[in-house]
């Protein structure tokens, strides 16, 4: 990824103010460092839309770090005060359309550009605040109430940026479901890490149906040993999560065609984490399962192929070859190649394309 490509994305988004450009670059850095799968998918969006996605991710990451950072020695009370301060900055920034804080500044600009409902940000912070006091969930319904703010609203925030070919309210349930599916995947992948934070997101009724509970999970985490009851519960959580993916998937076809390759790629990679967990033998209490770099590169390449096919269809349908946002037709040299044996890409990724 080159600085030139970053500048180009900001130019195409019409972001010209130096301070605002710096704010978006800050958010992009947070996204690149902490959201590898999501960031990779975002490179398949038209350049003009990427900065807004980076801003949404950057704000969510900031709040999540306040709550979850294992490296911080802050007490729950100190974390709660930090969230209160963030919410004050958020509301002031959304009302003013700008903020002295770079992340909030970019978020406020994104919210104004895309008319994003401010309640989605308030609901998100409410769920972040719940993480400071709630350590488990009795039922899946209870977990869903939490995930409305922590996950569903992320999909709803994204929807105006992605665009739709139907009224937004028709696509909204699918977008919300996709946010939930992604978070359920994270919960399953991060069972061990969340346990270290004192939390269990797998619902008690799901665990109990298979004879498992928090104490058994803690024993497994502590000893490094597995138990068939835990494996059965994890498989049930996997089944549940895949069902949410099935609910979300029809929504991809409702998006603006230029956004579909990005979301299809994110969908495929996140759902692939479930496959990696199963392949690793359901050892999430002892290790983090990941999608391989080779698989990630292959899926990104498939996304680029979809972009090329969509542009070809548009060309033969008599529509302009270059879309309104100024993206030129894809060239073969733009595609990400499989990593070399030294781990470096052998060709530029999509985001680096001129």
């Amino acid at each position: 990824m080159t600085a030139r490509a970053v500048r180009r994305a900001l130019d195409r988004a019409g972001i010209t103010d130096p301070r605002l450009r710096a704010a978006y670059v800050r958010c992009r850095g947070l996204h690149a460092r902490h959201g590898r799968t999501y960031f990779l998918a975002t490179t398949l969006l038209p350049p003009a839309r990427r900065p807004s996605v980076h801003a949404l991710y950057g704000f969510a990451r900031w709040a999540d770090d306040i709550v979850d950072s294992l490296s911080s020695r802050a007490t729950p009370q100190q974390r709660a005060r930090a969230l209160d301060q963030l919410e004050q900055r958020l509301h002031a920034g959304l009302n003013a359309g700008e903020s002295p804080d770079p992340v909030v500044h970019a978020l406020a600009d994104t919210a104004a550009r895309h008319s994003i409902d401010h309640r989605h940000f308030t609901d998100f912070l409410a769920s972040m605040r719940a993480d400071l006091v709630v350590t488990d969930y009795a039922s899946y319904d209870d977990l869903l109430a939490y995930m409305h703010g922590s996950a569903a609203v992320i999909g709803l925030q994204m929807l105006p940026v992605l665009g739709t070919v139907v009224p937004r309210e028709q696509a909204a349930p699918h977008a919300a479901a996709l946010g939930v599916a992604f978070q359920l995947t994270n919960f399953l992948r991060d069972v061990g890490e969340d346990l270290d934070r004192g939390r269990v997101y797998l619902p008690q009724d799901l665990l109990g149906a298979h004879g498992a509970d928090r104490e058994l999970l803690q024993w497994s985490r502590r000893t490094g040993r597995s138990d068939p009851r835990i494996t059965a519960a994890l498989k049930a959580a996997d089944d549940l999560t895949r069902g949410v993916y099935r609910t979300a998937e029809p929504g991809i076809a409702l998006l603006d065609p230029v956004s579909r390759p990005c979301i299809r790629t994110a969908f495929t990679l996140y759902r692939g984490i479930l496959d990696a967990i199963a392949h690793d033998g359901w050892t999430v209490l002892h290790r983090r399962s990941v999608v391989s770099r080779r698989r990630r590169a292959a899926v990104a390449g498939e996304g680029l192929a979809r972009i090329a096919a969509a542009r070809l269809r548009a060309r033969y349908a008599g529509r302009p070859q270059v879309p309104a946002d100024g993206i030129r037709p894809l060239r073969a040299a733009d595609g990400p190649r499989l990593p070399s044996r030294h781990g470096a890409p052998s060709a530029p990724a999509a985001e680096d394309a001129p």
Side-chain angles (χ1 to χ4, degrees):
M1 177 63 208
T2 65
R4 178 186 171 197
V6 176
R7 291 194 300 269
R8 185 179 303 107
L10 295 170
D11 291 342
R12 290 183 178 175
I15 301 168
T16 58
D17 177 74
R19 190 167 70 89
L20 185 58
R21 287 169 74 93
Y24 274 105
V25 170
R26 173 78 173 272
C27 291
R28 184 197 171 280
L30 290 170
H31 197 177
R33 285 196 302 274
H34 301 291
R36 293 187 306 164
T37 297
Y38 194 17
F39 183 81
L40 176 62
T42 301
T43 65
L44 299 177
L45 281 175
R49 303 192 191 196
R50 295 173 198 158
S52 293
V53 179
H54 298 326
L56 293 173
Y57 181 92
F59 179 78
R61 182 70 198 192
W62 184 9
D64 190 64
D65 279 349
I66 290 174
V67 173
D68 277 345
S69 176
L70 290 173
S71 61
S72 171
R73 296 184 179 181
T75 66
Q77 294 76 18
Q78 291 170 327
R79 294 175 193 261
R81 285 195 294 271
L83 276 180
D84 289 341
Q85 292 170 358
L86 176 57
E87 187 160 23
Q88 291 169 7
R89 295 178 190 178
L90 168 69
H91 290 312
L94 290 174
N95 290 333
E98 61 178 3
S99 173
D101 182 272
V103 175
V104 176
H105 189 32
L107 181 76
D109 183 71
T110 289
R113 285 171 181 267
H114 300 284
S115 301
I116 300 174
D117 192 332
H118 294 182
R119 289 179 299 177
H120 296 330
F121 304 113
T122 301
D123 289 349
F124 172 74
L125 289 179
S127 285
M128 294 300 97
R129 196 169 278 107
D131 275 334
L132 297 175
V133 294
V134 180
T135 60
D136 51 32
Y137 293 87
S139 69
Y140 182 58
D141 285 342
D142 294 331
L143 183 63
L144 278 175
Y146 163 80
M147 288 193 296
H148 166 73
S150 65
V153 298
I154 303 297
L156 298 176
Q157 291 170 21
M158 281 285 296
L159 201 54
V161 179
L162 299 172
T164 61
V165 294
V166 297
R168 191 180 299 175
E169 58 270 18
Q170 184 176 337
H174 300 288
L178 189 58
V180 170
F182 287 172
Q183 184 159 68
L184 285 171
T185 301
N186 288 341
F187 287 162
L188 190 56
R189 180 196 63 192
D190 299 338
V191 171
E193 293 178 18
D194 288 331
L195 199 59
D196 293 342
R197 297 184 177 99
R199 301 193 206 111
V200 177
Y201 289 106
L202 299 180
Q204 292 177 26
D205 59 356
L206 183 148
L207 290 171
H210 301 279
D213 55 19
R214 175 189 285 264
E215 288 70 27
L216 186 62
L217 297 179
Q218 290 173 328
W219 168 84
S220 179
R221 179 72 168 169
R222 185 176 63 252
T223 64
R225 297 170 62 183
S226 60
D227 185 283
R229 293 169 291 180
I230 294 175
T231 300
L234 295 176
K235 288 181 178 179
D238 176 274
D239 288 341
L240 176 65
T241 304
R242 291 181 188 275
V244 181
Y245 275 107
R246 288 191 292 272
T247 298
E249 187 168 16
I252 298 175
L254 306 182
L255 299 175
D256 186 332
V258 299
S259 296
R260 292 173 196 167
C262 165
I263 301 306
R264 172 61 66 182
T265 297
F267 180 97
T268 302
L269 289 175
Y270 266 94
R271 192 172 59 176
I273 294 173
L274 298 179
D275 297 330
I277 290 170
H279 180 267
D280 291 342
W282 309 97
T283 56
V284 288
L285 279 160
H286 316 127
R287 57 178 292 188
R288 171 181 271 221
S289 296
V290 298
V291 178
S292 70
R293 287 190 64 184
R294 181 173 292 271
R295 175 59 178 157
R296 285 158 50 85
V299 172
E302 291 167 5
L304 283 169
R306 292 190 189 98
I307 293 173
R311 289 175 178 170
L312 190 62
R313 286 194 297 271
R315 184 185 310 174
Y316 282 102
R319 293 193 290 272
Q321 181 175 343
V322 180
D325 60 9
I327 307 169
R328 59 147 178 81
L330 198 68
R331 295 199 303 248
D334 297 337
R337 308 276 177 84
L338 294 180
S340 72
R341 61 191 182 91
H342 298 294
S346 56
E351 194 170 4
D352 294 325

